[in-house]
Amino acid sequence: MSLAFDPVQKILAIGSRSGGVRILGRPGVDCYCQHESGAAVLQLQFLINEGALVTACADDTLHLWNLRQRRPAVLHSLKFNRERITFCHLPFQSKWLYVGTERGNTHIVNIESFILSGYVIMWNKAIELSTKTHPGPVVHLSDSPKDEGKLLIGFEGGTIVQWDLRAKKADFRIYYDEAIHSASWHHEGKQFMCSHSDGSLTLWNLRNTTKPFQVTFPHGKIQKDGRKESCKPILKVEYKTSRSSEPFVIFSGGLSYDKAGRRPALTIMHGKAITVLEMDHPIVEFMVLCETPYNNEVQDPYAVVVLLEKDLIVVDLTQSNFPVFENPYPMDIHESPVTCTAYFADCPPDMIPILYSIGAKNKKTGYSHKEWPIGGGTWTLGSHTYSEIIITGHADGSIKFWDASAFTLQMLYKLKTSKVFEKPKQGEGRAAELGEEDPFAVQMVSWCPHSRIFCVVGISAHIILYRFSKYDANTQIVSLEVRLQCEPEDIITPSENENNPCFSEPGSHSPQPHHQYPLSPDSRTPDGARDSIPCLKVKDKTVRVPPGYQSDLVIQLLWVDGEPPQQITSLDLNSAYGLLAFGNCNGLAVVDYLQKTVILCISTLDLYGATDPYQRLTRSPRRNRQSTSGLTELTDNQQSIDMEKSKSPTSVKGPGRKLSLPTDLKTDLESRENSFSRSRSSSVSSIDRDTKEAITTLQFGESYGRKSDALPTPCLWVGTSLGVVILIPLSIPTDHEERMEDPVTVGPSGAVQMLKGSVLRFGFLDCNGALIQSPYEVWRDLNAPEDPDRPRRRKLVHFSPSSSQDAFGEGHLAIVCSERQAKVFLMPSQSCLFVHNITESSFVLRADVISLCNSVCLACFCANGHVMTLSLPSLRPLMDVNYLPLTDMRIARTFCFTNEGQALYLSSPTEIQRITYSQEMCDNLQEMLGELFTPIETPEAQNRGFLKGFFGGNAHTFDREELFGEAAAGKASRSLAQHIPGQGGVEGMKVAASGVVGELARARIALDERGQRLGELEDRTALMMTSAETFSKHAHELMLKCKDKKWYQF
């Protein structure tokens, strides 16, 4: 990884190990480029104030990027074939790039043509012939501030050479007994400093290079026996002068070895003061930012950029306590691994400033008060923008809200769900029983932006419901416990099913709700098994909570007979109803979070009653407590739900197995494809009683619970892993007082439908094809001071299917999507209007009903990498793109669609990838991108004065073209490097450039093209003249040779 900074344009470039280059400017200017090879970026060099960037990659290729267009592109590439690149240096206002190699040679590249010069500084010429060992790779190259014709070359072995480019000989050679890592000039060009592998800094004076002028060990103390402490290598040093104070010496590394566990540090030596800044992550690279681009002027450093493995920080050097600037860019979305994502486009616009204002109060203090120093580029919101929020859940239980309205992420608010629970003691709880490392890991989230109610599902089978408040409060967390576990001994025959009512009194095979506070952790059954206790212990004392999201209710599933509760596989909440529903492979539960009660807790089998489409077979009476196949165990006659793990950050493989973040899908995909290749009976399937049918999706909404219903009522749609859809009608009191006192009642299921594969998504349209939104409650702050004139009452917003239609009873359309199939039903008749088989060879991982361009469609992402959209309600295929082959469980777990034709997924453990499949968004992308290059006058060099100019040598008369050009140096060997034309040449610039900068770029391109054509003509003319001269010369030689020969000698 590497850094580069353009001090005139004020933009920063960061290179990554995966071949990416991120270019940052003012907030909003954030551009990402990717090398096609994917090779690590070793070094970056800006063509200062030229709108171009040179990258050196680990595959020994140099690339020239054009930054004068909104989407940077490669203009030229140069591939070295016989040598490895180790260091590059491009002097200011020069078109010749110095390239050091592993063999110790220094080559020179013309930046304009990207062709090697014939001028080469060979390692054996640079060192004395008497030296017996190879000096090692080139680790430093820089031109002398005093004379541009002198090049300082540092070799890893400890040799330093100043090479006179004109005379082609060494001015001096230094042989030091410690390896060199870096070097830095004093701006006057009379001294330079080196950092070494033994933790020392050496200062060299050009008047006497036989020994260092000064040797210091900044962190090496003298021990009792008189010897110095051994120190770690100083990997880089920068020596910068200042007009108003003493010089700065800034370096990384050099700490003593004896202090184990000490954090990485950046040391700032300013005069006699030494400041050590400890970092949270290892330091990869740092760079001091200075006011002037000229290396022979007083540098006046004002900041230092430090690139860490997982962060980027900028230190303010103008203040004595060296505070850090507040970074406007998210560099560390992965403080803890991301385990789930949610994406909300076109959400209420007031949510972003509200979350930001609350989050700003909880931010760290002590930041520098100065403006962010990297302020280059220009950026405007553009016309096609709307509020977008991304929510990430993490393995440590934290939640982060991000503003994604622009092309950059800005963290708005952070929530820690672990604060609700007591810290698990060593050897206690589910973490100890199953070896879980992250008991608070977030599995899924549900958010209602209108009511600002937020719900989090955790890996320890817990759910936390949060309400938003602008006021802090003292609160005691209410806890509900649910015993959602089926007894495997029960044998259910078809005849029993027919005689059982759908919602009978909870019997021996029905899960039991519990409404008490947690029992002691050692609650056990008589045989010693853990029973009726939750995995985590909720704090039972009153706690002070700050403004923002405050926990209102915690729901936990209980251990049963020594078995931990199964992970929750589905969740939905509705603020208008005041209800929350969740399910797993054992059953379904519905909670009234207003009254803090469980109103339904039932096994999946009991949901069917007499309408069970499957014939359940009895099984042998052997006891099988825990499934070892994750969430479900299924027979050959139906699809499994292994991929349900994609919604979970971890997978439980039975007691005693560790939870781990899945990284490979190979076995899951193989088993999945095998299960799809088996035949599925079109008649009523026969299912073993051992089968666990999971609840895979839930959706509250206004619908028709029975065919005879004339008006829509609140309903809960339930989808299972066997492709079954169940509709449960609900009776909810409408009066405010009654709602808080009278119970919500649940009616018998009114409809059962069948699809192929696990049900993934529900959606509702009116008969005109418009999307019906779920009803919601308008947000009210429960902690706000009471107003006698305006009592706080619930204000509900309903989107009834009949509200947008003239006639009642016209019904609505229900969209159901499974892993293999999509269907559209007309309610209340429950007749199927449209069917579409989405895929035969693969399966759908994620499906969402989204609004796009004033219409509605169904978006699907399949395991084979295809992104598809279907029209609604007709289910006609609109798009099918082979976008991304599924190679990692991370993608399956985090992929999600949102409105306006956008989607996102976690492309790596540290990067969120947003994609769009909307043509309108693509057309507006160019407008939304920031400009990296802005026309700025290059600052003039300071007046050096008569005496300095007279005695300071002839630095300004140095003509590199005269030395390195083809006329003087000749051509380099063709086998040494290969020139590769880039894709972002003149034509790319023509298309991409726009606005004022575009006009300037086009004018420059026209001149370049004209100059290029004239140059080509001149080259052809010169080539013809050379050929003619060569022919004349050879003819003359032949004539002389044959002049005196006789005829018989030919």
Side-chain angles (χ1 to χ4, degrees):
M1 297 172 77
S2 52
L3 282 174
F5 182 70
D6 187 326
V8 179
Q9 289 289 322
K10 303 276 189 201
I11 55 175
L12 179 78
I14 305 169
S16 74
R17 294 192 186 101
S18 58
V21 178
R22 189 174 178 186
I23 305 171
L24 304 176
R26 67 177 66 245
V29 178
D30 186 349
C31 178
Y32 181 80
C33 317
Q34 177 67 42
H35 291 93
E36 289 184 4
S37 65
V41 180
L42 300 179
Q43 204 171 350
L44 299 162
Q45 290 279 312
F46 273 109
L47 277 67
I48 295 175
N49 205 28
E50 291 292 328
L53 175 72
V54 175
T55 59
C57 296
D59 60 352
D60 306 308
T61 307
L62 297 172
H63 303 275
L64 178 65
W65 291 82
N66 175 25
L67 306 183
R68 290 177 175 251
Q69 55 195 60
R70 291 178 185 259
R71 288 183 177 276
V74 174
L75 292 170
H76 299 283
S77 298
L78 188 66
K79 168 76 173 174
F80 280 74
N81 297 321
R82 296 187 306 196
E83 298 201 52
R84 310 286 322 257
I85 298 172
T86 55
F87 197 87
C88 297
H89 171 64
L90 180 65
F92 178 47
Q93 294 180 325
S94 167
K95 70 174 185 179
W96 299 96
L97 174 75
Y98 302 115
V99 181
T101 68
E102 196 173 43
R103 292 187 182 179
N105 303 324
T106 301
H107 299 276
I108 300 168
V109 177
N110 186 316
I111 291 298
E112 292 180 350
S113 61
F114 242 54
I115 295 175
L116 269 179
S117 165
Y119 193 114
V120 184
I121 306 171
M122 304 299 290
W123 68 269
N124 54 351
K125 299 282 186 183
I127 66 171
E128 287 183 340
L129 296 176
S130 59
T131 307
K132 295 181 180 179
T133 57
H134 189 278
V138 175
V139 295
H140 178 80
L141 291 168
S142 62
D143 51 329
S144 167
K146 193 176 179 181
D147 185 351
E148 294 176 343
K150 306 293 177 70
L151 183 68
L152 191 71
I153 307 172
F155 297 93
E156 188 181 62
T159 302
I160 304 167
V161 176
Q162 180 167 288
W163 184 261
D164 188 330
L165 293 165
R166 301 182 195 86
K168 299 183 182 181
K169 64 182 183 66
D171 284 344
F172 62 81
R173 298 179 178 91
I174 296 171
Y175 300 97
Y176 197 66
D177 53 3
E178 288 293 337
I180 295 172
H181 287 281
S182 70
S184 181
W185 281 100
H186 186 281
H187 81 274
E188 291 179 349
K190 299 175 182 177
Q191 294 178 334
F192 63 88
M193 185 176 287
C194 295
S195 67
H196 301 277
S197 58
D198 62 346
S200 66
L201 296 172
T202 56
L203 186 64
W204 300 85
N205 196 316
L206 265 58
R207 290 182 180 178
N208 180 14
T209 56
T210 56
K211 63 177 182 178
F213 175 72
Q214 184 182 4
V215 180
T216 56
F217 287 82
H219 296 296
K221 297 177 182 176
I222 299 176
Q223 297 175 332
K224 293 179 180 179
D225 57 2
R227 291 187 301 173
K228 290 267 188 186
E229 283 182 319
S230 58
C231 296
K232 298 176 183 177
I234 295 178
L235 301 177
K236 182 177 180 181
V237 65
E238 292 216 29
Y239 185 22
K240 301 296 180 184
T241 52
S242 174
R243 284 189 181 86
S244 58
S245 63
E246 297 184 67
F248 285 86
V249 176
I250 303 171
F251 61 89
S252 60
L255 299 176
S256 58
Y257 277 107
D258 63 339
K259 294 182 180 177
R262 190 168 183 180
R263 294 196 294 177
L266 183 80
T267 304
I268 302 174
M269 297 171 63
H270 190 211
K272 294 182 179 180
I274 298 179
T275 305
V276 179
L277 304 177
E278 290 192 336
M279 305 295 168
D280 293 331
H281 308 288
I283 297 173
V284 176
E285 172 73 293
F286 76 89
M287 173 169 282
V288 179
L289 308 188
C290 302
E291 293 289 352
T292 177
Y294 297 95
N295 65 347
N296 58 359
E297 296 180 357
V298 179
Q299 298 296 288
D300 275 334
Y302 57 89
V304 55
V305 178
V306 187
L307 179 64
L308 309 178
E309 275 192 359
K310 296 184 178 181
D311 206 356
L312 178 83
I313 65 169
V314 183
V315 181
D316 186 354
L317 294 179
T318 61
Q319 300 181 46
S320 58
N321 60 338
F322 303 127
V324 174
F325 288 94
E326 186 176 359
N327 193 339
Y329 301 100
M331 293 292 165
D332 194 8
I333 68 165
H334 51 282
E335 288 174 317
S336 174
V338 177
T339 52
C340 78
T341 57
Y343 192 6
F344 299 87
D346 212 8
C347 55
D350 61 335
M351 279 309 303
I352 289 176
I354 287 170
L355 287 171
Y356 183 80
S357 62
I358 295 293
K361 294 176 183 177
N362 301 325
K363 283 186 178 178
K364 297 176 183 177
T365 57
Y367 287 114
S368 172
H369 299 296
K370 294 197 172 183
E371 191 177 347
W372 176 249
I374 304 165
T378 56
W379 175 75
T380 55
L381 268 173
S383 58
H384 194 75
T385 55
Y386 38 80
S387 300
E388 297 180 59
I389 291 179
I390 293 173
I391 300 176
T392 55
H394 300 260
D396 63 353
S398 61
I399 302 282
K400 291 182 181 179
F401 290 77
W402 304 86
D403 177 12
S405 303
F407 275 178
T408 58
L409 283 179
Q410 175 72 45
M411 196 175 85
L412 299 172
Y413 177 71
K414 183 177 179 179
L415 175 67
K416 293 183 178 179
T417 63
S418 58
K419 290 186 175 181
V420 172
F421 302 101
E422 303 281 359
K423 289 184 179 179
K425 296 178 182 177
Q426 200 71 24
E428 176 185 309
R430 185 177 181 181
E433 295 277 341
L434 297 181
E436 283 190 20
E437 297 173 357
D438 300 306
F440 307 114
V442 179
Q443 192 173 348
M444 65 181 79
V445 296
S446 180
W447 185 43
C448 176
H450 301 284
S451 63
R452 302 183 192 175
I453 289 179
F454 184 58
C455 207
V456 179
V457 176
I459 198 66
S460 297
H462 65 271
I463 301 171
I464 310 172
L465 185 137
Y466 290 91
R467 287 180 178 270
F468 187 85
S469 176
K470 294 181 180 179
Y471 304 90
D472 55 2
N474 293 316
T475 182
Q476 182 159 359
I477 302 165
V478 179
S479 174
L480 284 179
E481 295 173 1
V482 179
R483 186 185 177 96
L484 193 57
Q485 192 86 5
C486 296
E487 298 296 337
E489 302 93 341
D490 293 334
I491 299 174
I492 308 234
T493 64
S495 59
E496 286 184 45
N497 274 341
E498 292 169 2
N499 296 330
N500 279 343
C502 183
F503 287 87
S504 59
E505 289 296 316
S508 61
H509 58 267
S510 297
Q512 300 292 320
H514 285 251
H515 317 275
Q516 70 268 6
Y517 283 88
L519 303 173
S520 60
D522 56 353
S523 299
R524 296 180 183 273
T525 56
D527 61 353
R530 300 167 66 87
D531 187 65
S532 299
I533 61 168
C535 298
L536 301 170
K537 182 174 173 57
V538 179
K539 290 180 179 177
D540 54 6
K541 59 183 179 181
T542 302
V543 291
R544 185 78 173 173
V545 289
Y549 274 105
Q550 302 167 352
S551 56
D552 186 60
L553 176 66
V554 177
I555 305 165
Q556 294 190 92
L557 299 185
L558 299 175
W559 285 65
V560 177
D561 296 334
E563 289 190 20
Q566 294 286 349
Q567 293 178 16
I568 294 166
T569 57
S570 57
L571 171 80
D572 191 40
L573 69 88
N574 188 281
S575 57
Y577 302 159
L579 299 179
L580 182 151
F582 63 93
N584 63 8
C585 62
N586 288 327
L588 168 70
V590 181
V591 173
D592 182 344
Y593 66 76
L594 296 176
Q595 298 185 24
K596 308 292 192 293
T597 59
V598 179
I599 63 173
L600 178 66
C601 182
I602 192 168
S603 68
T604 314
L605 183 63
D606 292 336
L607 280 172
Y608 294 112
T611 58
D612 189 354
Y614 292 103
Q615 180 184 0
R616 315 278 167 166
L617 300 182
T618 61
R619 67 175 187 84
S620 60
R622 62 182 174 81
R623 186 176 182 84
N624 181 13
R625 287 191 173 276
Q626 180 76 19
S627 167
T628 57
S629 62
L631 290 172
T632 57
E633 43 181 291
L634 302 176
T635 61
D636 293 348
N637 288 337
Q638 73 283 334
Q639 288 79 6
S640 67
I641 192 174
D642 294 339
M643 284 306 299
E644 186 59 30
K645 297 174 192 171
S646 65
K647 297 183 180 178
S648 309
T650 56
S651 58
V652 182
K653 301 281 186 173
R657 293 288 298 272
K658 254 191 173 183
L659 278 89
S660 59
L661 288 169
T663 55
D664 193 359
L665 262 183
K666 185 176 180 181
T667 55
D668 280 328
L669 287 176
E670 287 176 354
S671 62
R672 193 61 168 202
E673 297 297 340
N674 290 338
S675 73
F676 284 137
S677 65
R678 296 168 185 146
S679 62
R680 179 188 174 97
S681 174
S682 58
S683 61
V684 176
S685 300
S686 175
I687 297 183
D688 194 321
R689 180 63 186 88
D690 206 16
T691 298
K692 289 185 178 180
E693 183 178 4
I695 307 294
T696 55
T697 186
L698 296 164
Q699 179 76 52
F700 285 106
E702 299 282 311
S703 189
Y704 300 85
R706 300 168 192 83
K707 293 183 179 181
S708 58
D709 287 352
L711 295 174
T713 57
C715 292
L716 175 63
W717 288 72
V718 182
T720 75
S721 58
L722 300 185
V724 179
V725 177
I726 305 168
L727 187 56
I728 301 174
L730 306 168
S731 177
I732 303 173
T734 55
D735 184 74
H736 177 71
E737 284 76 17
E738 291 178 358
R739 177 66 187 86
M740 302 306 293
E741 297 176 2
D742 296 348
V744 175
T745 56
V746 179
S749 59
V752 174
Q753 303 293 341
M754 296 287 298
L755 284 88
K756 297 178 183 177
S758 299
V759 181
L760 299 179
R761 188 66 59 201
F762 296 118
F764 307 111
L765 306 178
D766 63 23
C767 289
N768 296 323
L771 185 66
I772 300 174
Q773 303 288 346
S774 296
Y776 63 86
E777 176 191 359
V778 177
W779 173 72
R780 56 199 174 105
D781 197 334
L782 299 180
N783 295 335
E786 289 283 351
D787 186 351
D789 300 330
R790 299 179 63 185
R792 287 200 301 267
R793 297 178 64 87
R794 299 181 73 220
K795 182 181 178 182
L796 308 182
V797 178
H798 285 273
F799 299 93
S800 173
S802 57
S803 61
S804 61
Q805 297 163 211
D806 299 330
F808 280 82
E810 199 172 328
H812 72 91
L813 304 176
I815 297 100
V816 186
C817 183
S818 72
E819 292 173 327
R820 303 283 300 279
Q821 200 176 43
K823 288 186 178 183
V824 176
F825 297 96
L826 176 63
M827 304 300 289
S829 66
Q830 301 177 15
S831 56
C832 182
L833 301 181
F834 302 99
V835 183
H836 179 73
N837 292 322
I838 299 172
T839 177
E840 294 295 337
S841 59
S842 184
F843 54 96
V844 178
L845 285 168
R846 177 79 185 208
D848 287 291
V849 177
I850 55 113
S851 60
L852 175 63
C853 300
N854 299 319
S855 61
V856 186
C857 64
L858 178 66
C860 304
F861 174 57
C862 295
N864 60 7
H866 284 249
V867 175
M868 293 180 283
T869 56
L870 305 174
S871 66
L872 290 177
S874 58
L875 296 179
R876 290 196 309 270
L878 300 175
M879 181 188 75
D880 186 352
V881 178
N882 187 5
Y883 169 69
L884 179 76
L886 187 62
T887 55
D888 200 308
M889 211 38 196
R890 184 191 309 109
I891 298 171
R893 194 179 63 242
T894 57
F895 197 102
C896 55
F897 294 98
T898 190
N899 293 330
E900 307 303 332
Q902 297 194 73
L904 68 79
Y905 59 93
L906 208 65
S907 56
S908 76
T910 62
E911 295 168 310
I912 287 179
Q913 177 69 55
R914 291 167 63 189
I915 62 172
T916 181
Y917 48 93
S918 162
Q919 185 61 48
E920 186 179 359
M921 175 62 76
C922 290
D923 293 341
N924 285 275
L925 271 179
Q926 199 68 25
E927 181 187 352
M928 297 169 70
L929 289 169
E931 292 271 9
L932 292 173
F933 179 79
T934 51
I936 300 174
E937 286 288 333
T938 302
E940 292 185 6
Q942 293 176 0
N943 189 0
R944 304 177 71 230
F946 174 74
L947 292 176
K948 278 192 177 182
F950 188 77
F951 294 108
N954 54 350
H956 287 277
T957 61
F958 177 59
D959 186 0
R960 294 186 178 90
E961 182 70 36
E962 189 179 312
L963 278 176
F964 307 145
E966 189 176 323
K971 290 184 178 180
S973 170
R974 289 188 177 183
S975 62
L976 184 60
Q978 175 189 358
H979 176 259
I980 305 167
Q983 298 297 319
V986 171
E987 293 300 321
M989 290 181 67
K990 281 181 181 176
V991 175
S994 60
V996 177
V997 175
E999 293 299 328
L1000 292 171
R1002 278 192 285 272
R1004 181 167 181 165
I1005 292 164
L1007 290 172
D1008 288 346
E1009 287 178 335
R1010 185 181 177 194
Q1012 185 177 350
R1013 286 194 293 270
L1014 289 172
E1016 289 173 356
L1017 181 62
E1018 186 179 348
D1019 289 344
R1020 285 196 295 269
T1021 305
L1023 187 63
M1024 290 172 65
M1025 289 177 66
T1026 305
S1027 299
E1029 289 176 4
T1030 306
F1031 180 76
S1032 172
K1033 183 180 177 182
H1034 286 311
H1036 185 68
E1037 289 176 352
L1038 185 62
M1039 183 270 291
L1040 294 174
K1041 187 176 181 180
C1042 302
K1043 183 179 179 183
D1044 298 324
K1045 285 188 178 182
K1046 303 295 182 183
W1047 65 270
Y1048 52 82
Q1049 290 178 314
F1050 286 99

